[in-house]
Amino acid sequence: MSDVLVLLDHTEDGALRPAALEAVTAGRGLGEVHAVWIGEAMAADVPEHLGRFGVTTLHRVRVTDADVRLTAVQGAALVAVARSAVVLGTSGFDAKEVAAHLAVATGAGVVSDATAVRRDGQGRVVADKTVLAGTWTTECAVLTAPAVVLLKAGAVVAAATGGAPAQVREHEVSAASAVRGIRVVEHTPTVPSDRPDLGSAEIVVVGGRGTDGDFTPLEELADVLGGAVGATRVATDEGWIGHEAQIGQTGVTVTPRLYIGAGVSGAVHHRGGMQASGTIVAVNPDPEAPIFEIADYGIVGDLFEVIPAVTAELRARGR
Ligand SMILES: Cc1cc2nc3c(=O)[nH]c(=O)nc-3n(C[C@H](O)[C@H](O)[C@H](O)COP(=O)(O)OP(=O)(O)OC[C@H]3O[C@@H](n4cnc5c(N)ncnc54)[C@H](O)[C@@H]3O)c2cc1C
């Protein structure tokens, strides 16, 4: 096998997620990159697309006897084909579980929520990771092979190299023994949205208690910018927006290039999930709000005046 195997992040209907190409780009710095696709549906242009980003071989794994939507099944499938010294992927709920299966089966060292990965002078795989609600950046050297590193979406800029389409190798894997006693009894796909995925969006517009339940101005700004809409736990607990929109210690971790928070105080539990964002903009009438401590740009004001004015100005500039 190759030096590096990238576990591809993709939608259930077979489309690559942008973060998969970020992991591939990061992998090129560590050696020859193979990629693994676990699941049935796969868009026809995936091998060509991956080839352009430097993947030489795509391992397409089909599970013959278990439901591939279960992370234990995906873990078993990955264990069956992972022979590389380094396995990369995108941090997310499912990928973390899949990585854990690989770690248990092989003794791999796993770093999740990494923001960068490289080899040090001794050839060890080293990953950067922020900890303690984003207040510290650590360097983690993985000492047990394979090194498994899950990168935060948006932490790496995906860059094509213009290679030939990846060669596809088909694998059929049995994974029934990994899920004895588990079966899927119900499956509710999330309602498709025109907005990008919160976890991988380059721009995120976030509302908190200060919205008082009205996310309309934030949704309009997000749509003008082509961004995703996120929320604090207060807003999701109030039922103003779905729980999948919650950013923070007990929600999604985001690392967009631009985070705009309006009506958000910047509590430590929220900051843990957004502090590594590129540029942070905060709108809040309270000049003492903690979010201003980490904001690159702060506007002391009422979101219901500021946000519509920003949206109107962007529209006037042709956005
Ligand atoms: C174990 C644990 C885990 C948690 N996990 C999370 C988590 O994952 N994510 C998370 O977000 N929270 C989490 N919390 C909750 C967290 O501690 C905070 O309570 C929460 O983040 C605060 O949300 P908020 O900023 O919306 O509300 P508040 O702290 O009440 O702040 C609202 C802000 O809105 C401002 N405001 C009011 N009116 C306006 C206006 N018109 N325009 C602009 N601004 C206005 C106010 O000045 C204020 O600063 C967790 C808590 C615990 C105990």
Side-chain angles (χ1 to χ4, degrees):
M1 260 239 187
S2 61
D3 306 313
V4 181
L5 182 69
V6 174
L7 173 63
L8 295 167
D9 188 14
H10 62 82
T11 63
E12 226 172 86
D13 59 0
L16 270 178
R17 289 211 169 90
L21 299 173
E22 296 167 12
V24 166
T25 302
R28 291 205 308 265
L30 303 172
E32 185 195 337
V33 180
H34 285 201
V36 57
W37 183 286
I38 300 172
E40 275 303 319
M42 186 178 85
D45 64 352
V46 167
E48 189 190 333
H49 205 159
L50 290 172
R52 280 206 300 276
F53 283 79
V55 174
T56 57
T57 306
L58 171 60
H59 300 271
R60 186 170 186 192
V61 184
R62 289 193 173 88
V63 177
T64 54
D65 55 1
D67 191 326
V68 78
R69 292 172 301 188
L70 296 168
T71 51
V73 171
Q74 295 167 33
L78 181 61
V79 170
V81 297
R83 301 284 176 270
S84 307
V86 184
V87 177
L88 298 183
T90 306
S91 257
F93 291 119
D94 284 8
K96 285 178 186 175
E97 288 192 14
V98 173
H101 280 278
L102 183 63
V104 169
T106 63
V110 179
V111 181
S112 59
D113 293 325
T115 52
V117 62
R118 62 189 164 278
R119 285 191 199 280
D120 67 8
Q122 299 167 51
R124 296 179 307 188
V125 173
V126 176
D128 293 344
K129 176 181 166 103
T130 55
V131 296
L132 300 175
T135 51
W136 287 76
T137 301
T138 57
E139 285 189 346
C140 313
V142 184
L143 304 180
T144 50
V148 182
V149 177
L150 301 179
L151 290 153
K152 282 185 174 182
V156 173
V157 178
T161 56
Q167 284 197 328
V168 181
R169 276 194 213 157
E170 305 279 353
H171 303 260
E172 288 204 341
V173 166
S174 161
S177 61
V179 284
R180 277 196 205 106
I182 305 175
R183 73 190 160 89
V184 179
V185 289
E186 201 179 315
H187 179 229
T188 312
T190 46
V191 181
S193 154
D194 290 340
R195 297 193 185 111
D197 264 3
L198 181 59
S200 56
E202 297 206 340
I203 299 174
V204 174
V205 182
V206 181
R209 194 196 303 272
T211 64
D212 204 18
D214 183 2
F215 269 66
T216 315
L218 304 182
E219 288 167 350
E220 286 177 357
L221 177 58
D223 289 342
V224 165
L225 292 170
V229 176
T232 65
R233 182 158 132 181
V234 166
T236 59
D237 281 354
E238 289 287 346
W240 297 338
I241 188 168
H243 280 285
E244 68 284 351
Q246 183 184 317
I247 293 170
Q249 187 177 312
T250 45
V252 179
T253 298
V254 297
T255 46
R257 303 204 197 295
L258 174 62
Y259 167 105
I260 301 173
V264 174
S265 63
V268 66
H269 300 103
H270 183 72
R271 286 159 65 152
M274 49 65 72
Q275 195 152 337
S277 302
T279 299
I280 297 173
V281 178
V283 182
N284 195 310
D286 175 6
E288 303 298 323
I291 196 157
F292 287 130
E293 292 166 14
I294 56 164
D296 298 285
Y297 299 96
I299 301 167
V300 177
D302 182 337
L303 77 89
F304 292 102
E305 290 170 14
V306 175
I307 297 293
V310 173
T311 306
E313 180 63 26
L314 287 167
R315 284 194 180 124
R317 291 173 184 229
R319 292 290 305 227

PDB file of all heavy atoms in Angstrom, residues 10-15 37-44 60-69 74 170-173:
ATOM      1  N   HIS A  10     -17.625  11.842   2.535  1.00  0.00           N
ATOM      2  CA  HIS A  10     -18.547  12.020   1.414  1.00  0.00           C
ATOM      3  C   HIS A  10     -19.983  11.936   1.888  1.00  0.00           C
ATOM      4  O   HIS A  10     -20.270  11.453   2.989  1.00  0.00           O
ATOM      5  CB  HIS A  10     -18.272  10.979   0.318  1.00  0.00           C
ATOM      6  CG  HIS A  10     -18.464   9.554   0.758  1.00  0.00           C
ATOM      7  ND1 HIS A  10     -19.693   8.946   0.801  1.00  0.00           N
ATOM      8  CD2 HIS A  10     -17.566   8.615   1.168  1.00  0.00           C
ATOM      9  CE1 HIS A  10     -19.553   7.690   1.208  1.00  0.00           C
ATOM     10  NE2 HIS A  10     -18.271   7.468   1.448  1.00  0.00           N
ATOM     11  N   THR A  11     -20.888  12.419   1.047  1.00  0.00           N
ATOM     12  CA  THR A  11     -22.308  12.381   1.406  1.00  0.00           C
ATOM     13  C   THR A  11     -22.850  10.976   1.142  1.00  0.00           C
ATOM     14  O   THR A  11     -22.218  10.192   0.426  1.00  0.00           O
ATOM     15  CB  THR A  11     -23.125  13.382   0.560  1.00  0.00           C
ATOM     16  OG1 THR A  11     -23.019  12.981  -0.819  1.00  0.00           O
ATOM     17  CG2 THR A  11     -22.590  14.803   0.708  1.00  0.00           C
ATOM     18  N   GLU A  12     -24.020  10.689   1.702  1.00  0.00           N
ATOM     19  CA  GLU A  12     -24.602   9.362   1.528  1.00  0.00           C
ATOM     20  C   GLU A  12     -24.925   9.077   0.063  1.00  0.00           C
ATOM     21  O   GLU A  12     -24.896   7.931  -0.387  1.00  0.00           O
ATOM     22  CB  GLU A  12     -25.886   9.282   2.361  1.00  0.00           C
ATOM     23  CG  GLU A  12     -25.989   8.012   3.161  1.00  0.00           C
ATOM     24  CD  GLU A  12     -27.171   8.064   4.110  1.00  0.00           C
ATOM     25  OE1 GLU A  12     -28.289   7.717   3.700  1.00  0.00           O
ATOM     26  OE2 GLU A  12     -26.942   8.478   5.247  1.00  0.00           O
ATOM     27  N   ASP A  13     -25.225  10.162  -0.701  1.00  0.00           N
ATOM     28  CA  ASP A  13     -25.576   9.931  -2.107  1.00  0.00           C
ATOM     29  C   ASP A  13     -24.359   9.986  -3.032  1.00  0.00           C
ATOM     30  O   ASP A  13     -24.502  10.051  -4.251  1.00  0.00           O
ATOM     31  CB  ASP A  13     -26.693  10.870  -2.571  1.00  0.00           C
ATOM     32  CG  ASP A  13     -26.325  12.328  -2.418  1.00  0.00           C
ATOM     33  OD1 ASP A  13     -25.216  12.596  -1.946  1.00  0.00           O
ATOM     34  OD2 ASP A  13     -27.151  13.189  -2.767  1.00  0.00           O
ATOM     35  N   GLY A  14     -23.155   9.966  -2.462  1.00  0.00           N
ATOM     36  CA  GLY A  14     -21.985   9.716  -3.297  1.00  0.00           C
ATOM     37  C   GLY A  14     -21.180  10.912  -3.760  1.00  0.00           C
ATOM     38  O   GLY A  14     -20.377  10.791  -4.691  1.00  0.00           O
ATOM     39  N   ALA A  15     -21.346  12.070  -3.111  1.00  0.00           N
ATOM     40  CA  ALA A  15     -20.551  13.248  -3.503  1.00  0.00           C
ATOM     41  C   ALA A  15     -19.438  13.484  -2.483  1.00  0.00           C
ATOM     42  O   ALA A  15     -19.654  13.349  -1.274  1.00  0.00           O
ATOM     43  CB  ALA A  15     -21.451  14.473  -3.579  1.00  0.00           C
ATOM     44  N   TRP A  37     -12.794   4.869  -0.118  1.00  0.00           N
ATOM     45  CA  TRP A  37     -14.210   5.253  -0.185  1.00  0.00           C
ATOM     46  C   TRP A  37     -15.008   4.098   0.389  1.00  0.00           C
ATOM     47  O   TRP A  37     -15.011   2.999  -0.175  1.00  0.00           O
ATOM     48  CB  TRP A  37     -14.608   5.502  -1.640  1.00  0.00           C
ATOM     49  CG  TRP A  37     -16.015   5.959  -1.821  1.00  0.00           C
ATOM     50  CD1 TRP A  37     -17.148   5.215  -1.708  1.00  0.00           C
ATOM     51  CD2 TRP A  37     -16.439   7.284  -2.147  1.00  0.00           C
ATOM     52  NE1 TRP A  37     -18.257   5.995  -1.935  1.00  0.00           N
ATOM     53  CE2 TRP A  37     -17.850   7.266  -2.215  1.00  0.00           C
ATOM     54  CE3 TRP A  37     -15.761   8.487  -2.382  1.00  0.00           C
ATOM     55  CZ2 TRP A  37     -18.588   8.405  -2.516  1.00  0.00           C
ATOM     56  CZ3 TRP A  37     -16.504   9.622  -2.681  1.00  0.00           C
ATOM     57  CH2 TRP A  37     -17.898   9.571  -2.743  1.00  0.00           C
ATOM     58  N   ILE A  38     -15.664   4.327   1.505  1.00  0.00           N
ATOM     59  CA  ILE A  38     -16.473   3.270   2.127  1.00  0.00           C
ATOM     60  C   ILE A  38     -17.939   3.626   1.912  1.00  0.00           C
ATOM     61  O   ILE A  38     -18.389   4.673   2.373  1.00  0.00           O
ATOM     62  CB  ILE A  38     -16.141   3.136   3.629  1.00  0.00           C
ATOM     63  CG1 ILE A  38     -14.660   2.784   3.810  1.00  0.00           C
ATOM     64  CG2 ILE A  38     -17.031   2.068   4.269  1.00  0.00           C
ATOM     65  CD1 ILE A  38     -14.180   2.822   5.240  1.00  0.00           C
ATOM     66  N   GLY A  39     -18.661   2.780   1.194  1.00  0.00           N
ATOM     67  CA  GLY A  39     -20.074   3.064   0.924  1.00  0.00           C
ATOM     68  C   GLY A  39     -20.436   2.647  -0.475  1.00  0.00           C
ATOM     69  O   GLY A  39     -19.564   2.369  -1.294  1.00  0.00           O
ATOM     70  N   GLU A  40     -21.734   2.635  -0.754  1.00  0.00           N
ATOM     71  CA  GLU A  40     -22.213   2.155  -2.053  1.00  0.00           C
ATOM     72  C   GLU A  40     -22.112   3.210  -3.135  1.00  0.00           C
ATOM     73  O   GLU A  40     -21.315   3.095  -4.052  1.00  0.00           O
ATOM     74  CB  GLU A  40     -23.670   1.680  -1.904  1.00  0.00           C
ATOM     75  CG  GLU A  40     -23.815   0.245  -1.429  1.00  0.00           C
ATOM     76  CD  GLU A  40     -23.103  -0.766  -2.327  1.00  0.00           C
ATOM     77  OE1 GLU A  40     -23.158  -0.630  -3.560  1.00  0.00           O
ATOM     78  OE2 GLU A  40     -22.476  -1.692  -1.789  1.00  0.00           O
ATOM     79  N   ALA A  41     -22.926   4.271  -2.999  1.00  0.00           N
ATOM     80  CA  ALA A  41     -23.003   5.273  -4.070  1.00  0.00           C
ATOM     81  C   ALA A  41     -21.705   6.066  -4.161  1.00  0.00           C
ATOM     82  O   ALA A  41     -21.113   6.425  -3.147  1.00  0.00           O
ATOM     83  CB  ALA A  41     -24.164   6.212  -3.798  1.00  0.00           C
ATOM     84  N   MET A  42     -21.218   6.297  -5.397  1.00  0.00           N
ATOM     85  CA  MET A  42     -20.041   7.146  -5.605  1.00  0.00           C
ATOM     86  C   MET A  42     -20.201   7.848  -6.957  1.00  0.00           C
ATOM     87  O   MET A  42     -20.421   7.192  -7.991  1.00  0.00           O
ATOM     88  CB  MET A  42     -18.754   6.314  -5.605  1.00  0.00           C
ATOM     89  CG  MET A  42     -17.504   7.176  -5.681  1.00  0.00           C
ATOM     90  SD  MET A  42     -15.996   6.184  -5.612  1.00  0.00           S
ATOM     91  CE  MET A  42     -15.824   5.747  -7.335  1.00  0.00           C
ATOM     92  N   ALA A  43     -20.114   9.163  -6.973  1.00  0.00           N
ATOM     93  CA  ALA A  43     -20.265   9.913  -8.220  1.00  0.00           C
ATOM     94  C   ALA A  43     -19.196   9.470  -9.221  1.00  0.00           C
ATOM     95  O   ALA A  43     -18.057   9.158  -8.841  1.00  0.00           O
ATOM     96  CB  ALA A  43     -20.145  11.411  -7.951  1.00  0.00           C
ATOM     97  N   ALA A  44     -19.552   9.465 -10.518  1.00  0.00           N
ATOM     98  CA  ALA A  44     -18.669   8.919 -11.555  1.00  0.00           C
ATOM     99  C   ALA A  44     -17.355   9.695 -11.671  1.00  0.00           C
ATOM    100  O   ALA A  44     -16.328   9.121 -12.052  1.00  0.00           O
ATOM    101  CB  ALA A  44     -19.407   8.936 -12.891  1.00  0.00           C
ATOM    102  N   ARG A  60     -12.071   1.351  -3.323  1.00  0.00           N
ATOM    103  CA  ARG A  60     -13.523   1.437  -3.145  1.00  0.00           C
ATOM    104  C   ARG A  60     -13.986   0.196  -2.398  1.00  0.00           C
ATOM    105  O   ARG A  60     -13.866  -0.927  -2.912  1.00  0.00           O
ATOM    106  CB  ARG A  60     -14.197   1.538  -4.511  1.00  0.00           C
ATOM    107  CG  ARG A  60     -15.648   1.760  -4.369  1.00  0.00           C
ATOM    108  CD  ARG A  60     -16.304   2.096  -5.653  1.00  0.00           C
ATOM    109  NE  ARG A  60     -17.682   2.420  -5.385  1.00  0.00           N
ATOM    110  CZ  ARG A  60     -18.594   2.544  -6.310  1.00  0.00           C
ATOM    111  NH1 ARG A  60     -18.274   2.379  -7.574  1.00  0.00           N
ATOM    112  NH2 ARG A  60     -19.833   2.832  -5.985  1.00  0.00           N
ATOM    113  N   VAL A  61     -14.474   0.412  -1.190  1.00  0.00           N
ATOM    114  CA  VAL A  61     -14.802  -0.727  -0.329  1.00  0.00           C
ATOM    115  C   VAL A  61     -16.314  -0.892  -0.236  1.00  0.00           C
ATOM    116  O   VAL A  61     -17.024   0.034   0.164  1.00  0.00           O
ATOM    117  CB  VAL A  61     -14.223  -0.521   1.090  1.00  0.00           C
ATOM    118  CG1 VAL A  61     -14.490  -1.751   1.950  1.00  0.00           C
ATOM    119  CG2 VAL A  61     -12.736  -0.239   1.022  1.00  0.00           C
ATOM    120  N   ARG A  62     -16.777  -2.069  -0.625  1.00  0.00           N
ATOM    121  CA  ARG A  62     -18.205  -2.388  -0.473  1.00  0.00           C
ATOM    122  C   ARG A  62     -18.350  -3.422   0.630  1.00  0.00           C
ATOM    123  O   ARG A  62     -17.620  -4.413   0.655  1.00  0.00           O
ATOM    124  CB  ARG A  62     -18.764  -2.948  -1.770  1.00  0.00           C
ATOM    125  CG  ARG A  62     -18.899  -1.912  -2.863  1.00  0.00           C
ATOM    126  CD  ARG A  62     -19.747  -2.492  -3.997  1.00  0.00           C
ATOM    127  NE  ARG A  62     -20.054  -1.502  -4.995  1.00  0.00           N
ATOM    128  CZ  ARG A  62     -19.273  -1.234  -6.044  1.00  0.00           C
ATOM    129  NH1 ARG A  62     -18.142  -1.883  -6.212  1.00  0.00           N
ATOM    130  NH2 ARG A  62     -19.620  -0.315  -6.908  1.00  0.00           N
ATOM    131  N   VAL A  63     -19.285  -3.198   1.531  1.00  0.00           N
ATOM    132  CA  VAL A  63     -19.538  -4.145   2.621  1.00  0.00           C
ATOM    133  C   VAL A  63     -20.674  -5.054   2.179  1.00  0.00           C
ATOM    134  O   VAL A  63     -21.746  -4.578   1.783  1.00  0.00           O
ATOM    135  CB  VAL A  63     -19.891  -3.392   3.919  1.00  0.00           C
ATOM    136  CG1 VAL A  63     -20.221  -4.379   5.026  1.00  0.00           C
ATOM    137  CG2 VAL A  63     -18.730  -2.484   4.335  1.00  0.00           C
ATOM    138  N   THR A  64     -20.424  -6.356   2.232  1.00  0.00           N
ATOM    139  CA  THR A  64     -21.374  -7.306   1.636  1.00  0.00           C
ATOM    140  C   THR A  64     -22.501  -7.718   2.578  1.00  0.00           C
ATOM    141  O   THR A  64     -23.565  -8.123   2.121  1.00  0.00           O
ATOM    142  CB  THR A  64     -20.635  -8.593   1.206  1.00  0.00           C
ATOM    143  OG1 THR A  64     -19.919  -9.078   2.355  1.00  0.00           O
ATOM    144  CG2 THR A  64     -19.686  -8.323   0.058  1.00  0.00           C
ATOM    145  N   ASP A  65     -22.272  -7.619   3.898  1.00  0.00           N
ATOM    146  CA  ASP A  65     -23.224  -8.272   4.800  1.00  0.00           C
ATOM    147  C   ASP A  65     -23.635  -7.426   6.007  1.00  0.00           C
ATOM    148  O   ASP A  65     -24.066  -7.968   7.018  1.00  0.00           O
ATOM    149  CB  ASP A  65     -22.604  -9.591   5.297  1.00  0.00           C
ATOM    150  CG  ASP A  65     -21.250  -9.360   5.945  1.00  0.00           C
ATOM    151  OD1 ASP A  65     -20.829  -8.199   6.020  1.00  0.00           O
ATOM    152  OD2 ASP A  65     -20.632 -10.345   6.374  1.00  0.00           O
ATOM    153  N   ALA A  66     -23.443  -6.109   5.945  1.00  0.00           N
ATOM    154  CA  ALA A  66     -23.859  -5.277   7.082  1.00  0.00           C
ATOM    155  C   ALA A  66     -24.174  -3.868   6.582  1.00  0.00           C
ATOM    156  O   ALA A  66     -23.787  -3.500   5.476  1.00  0.00           O
ATOM    157  CB  ALA A  66     -22.742  -5.223   8.138  1.00  0.00           C
ATOM    158  N   ASP A  67     -24.891  -3.118   7.413  1.00  0.00           N
ATOM    159  CA  ASP A  67     -25.339  -1.774   7.020  1.00  0.00           C
ATOM    160  C   ASP A  67     -24.185  -0.787   7.162  1.00  0.00           C
ATOM    161  O   ASP A  67     -23.734  -0.491   8.274  1.00  0.00           O
ATOM    162  CB  ASP A  67     -26.511  -1.369   7.916  1.00  0.00           C
ATOM    163  CG  ASP A  67     -27.210  -0.125   7.402  1.00  0.00           C
ATOM    164  OD1 ASP A  67     -26.533   0.753   6.839  1.00  0.00           O
ATOM    165  OD2 ASP A  67     -28.449  -0.041   7.565  1.00  0.00           O
ATOM    166  N   VAL A  68     -23.736  -0.252   6.039  1.00  0.00           N
ATOM    167  CA  VAL A  68     -22.533   0.584   6.022  1.00  0.00           C
ATOM    168  C   VAL A  68     -22.771   1.955   6.666  1.00  0.00           C
ATOM    169  O   VAL A  68     -21.836   2.706   6.900  1.00  0.00           O
ATOM    170  CB  VAL A  68     -22.007   0.696   4.573  1.00  0.00           C
ATOM    171  CG1 VAL A  68     -22.826   1.690   3.773  1.00  0.00           C
ATOM    172  CG2 VAL A  68     -20.527   1.049   4.545  1.00  0.00           C
ATOM    173  N   ARG A  69     -24.019   2.266   7.000  1.00  0.00           N
ATOM    174  CA  ARG A  69     -24.268   3.532   7.691  1.00  0.00           C
ATOM    175  C   ARG A  69     -23.795   3.473   9.143  1.00  0.00           C
ATOM    176  O   ARG A  69     -23.639   4.491   9.796  1.00  0.00           O
ATOM    177  CB  ARG A  69     -25.755   3.882   7.640  1.00  0.00           C
ATOM    178  CG  ARG A  69     -26.226   4.230   6.248  1.00  0.00           C
ATOM    179  CD  ARG A  69     -27.708   4.372   6.187  1.00  0.00           C
ATOM    180  NE  ARG A  69     -28.396   3.148   6.591  1.00  0.00           N
ATOM    181  CZ  ARG A  69     -29.685   2.944   6.482  1.00  0.00           C
ATOM    182  NH1 ARG A  69     -30.457   3.887   5.982  1.00  0.00           N
ATOM    183  NH2 ARG A  69     -30.244   1.819   6.867  1.00  0.00           N
ATOM    184  N   GLN A  74     -18.215   0.719   9.159  1.00  0.00           N
ATOM    185  CA  GLN A  74     -17.196   1.488   8.440  1.00  0.00           C
ATOM    186  C   GLN A  74     -15.811   1.250   9.059  1.00  0.00           C
ATOM    187  O   GLN A  74     -14.809   1.158   8.351  1.00  0.00           O
ATOM    188  CB  GLN A  74     -17.521   2.984   8.494  1.00  0.00           C
ATOM    189  CG  GLN A  74     -18.795   3.349   7.756  1.00  0.00           C
ATOM    190  CD  GLN A  74     -19.254   4.756   8.085  1.00  0.00           C
ATOM    191  OE1 GLN A  74     -18.458   5.647   8.332  1.00  0.00           O
ATOM    192  NE2 GLN A  74     -20.557   4.962   8.094  1.00  0.00           N
ATOM    193  N   GLU A 170     -11.222  -2.305  -6.372  1.00  0.00           N
ATOM    194  CA  GLU A 170     -12.464  -2.690  -5.685  1.00  0.00           C
ATOM    195  C   GLU A 170     -12.151  -3.693  -4.569  1.00  0.00           C
ATOM    196  O   GLU A 170     -11.317  -4.585  -4.742  1.00  0.00           O
ATOM    197  CB  GLU A 170     -13.437  -3.347  -6.682  1.00  0.00           C
ATOM    198  CG  GLU A 170     -13.743  -2.511  -7.912  1.00  0.00           C
ATOM    199  CD  GLU A 170     -14.806  -1.449  -7.654  1.00  0.00           C
ATOM    200  OE1 GLU A 170     -15.395  -1.464  -6.560  1.00  0.00           O
ATOM    201  OE2 GLU A 170     -15.026  -0.610  -8.550  1.00  0.00           O
ATOM    202  N   HIS A 171     -12.814  -3.534  -3.430  1.00  0.00           N
ATOM    203  CA  HIS A 171     -12.666  -4.468  -2.308  1.00  0.00           C
ATOM    204  C   HIS A 171     -14.060  -4.852  -1.823  1.00  0.00           C
ATOM    205  O   HIS A 171     -14.934  -3.990  -1.714  1.00  0.00           O
ATOM    206  CB  HIS A 171     -11.936  -3.823  -1.129  1.00  0.00           C
ATOM    207  CG  HIS A 171     -10.578  -3.272  -1.453  1.00  0.00           C
ATOM    208  ND1 HIS A 171      -9.414  -3.931  -1.160  1.00  0.00           N
ATOM    209  CD2 HIS A 171     -10.210  -2.110  -2.049  1.00  0.00           C
ATOM    210  CE1 HIS A 171      -8.369  -3.188  -1.551  1.00  0.00           C
ATOM    211  NE2 HIS A 171      -8.835  -2.079  -2.092  1.00  0.00           N
ATOM    212  N   GLU A 172     -14.254  -6.123  -1.532  1.00  0.00           N
ATOM    213  CA  GLU A 172     -15.503  -6.547  -0.886  1.00  0.00           C
ATOM    214  C   GLU A 172     -15.153  -7.035   0.503  1.00  0.00           C
ATOM    215  O   GLU A 172     -14.250  -7.862   0.669  1.00  0.00           O
ATOM    216  CB  GLU A 172     -16.178  -7.646  -1.699  1.00  0.00           C
ATOM    217  CG  GLU A 172     -16.776  -7.097  -2.974  1.00  0.00           C
ATOM    218  CD  GLU A 172     -17.900  -7.951  -3.511  1.00  0.00           C
ATOM    219  OE1 GLU A 172     -17.986  -9.135  -3.120  1.00  0.00           O
ATOM    220  OE2 GLU A 172     -18.687  -7.433  -4.319  1.00  0.00           O
ATOM    221  N   VAL A 173     -15.861  -6.531   1.491  1.00  0.00           N
ATOM    222  CA  VAL A 173     -15.480  -6.780   2.878  1.00  0.00           C
ATOM    223  C   VAL A 173     -16.685  -7.300   3.644  1.00  0.00           C
ATOM    224  O   VAL A 173     -17.800  -6.813   3.468  1.00  0.00           O
ATOM    225  CB  VAL A 173     -14.977  -5.441   3.501  1.00  0.00           C
ATOM    226  CG1 VAL A 173     -14.883  -5.535   5.002  1.00  0.00           C
ATOM    227  CG2 VAL A 173     -13.633  -5.053   2.896  1.00  0.00           C
TER     228      VAL A 173
END
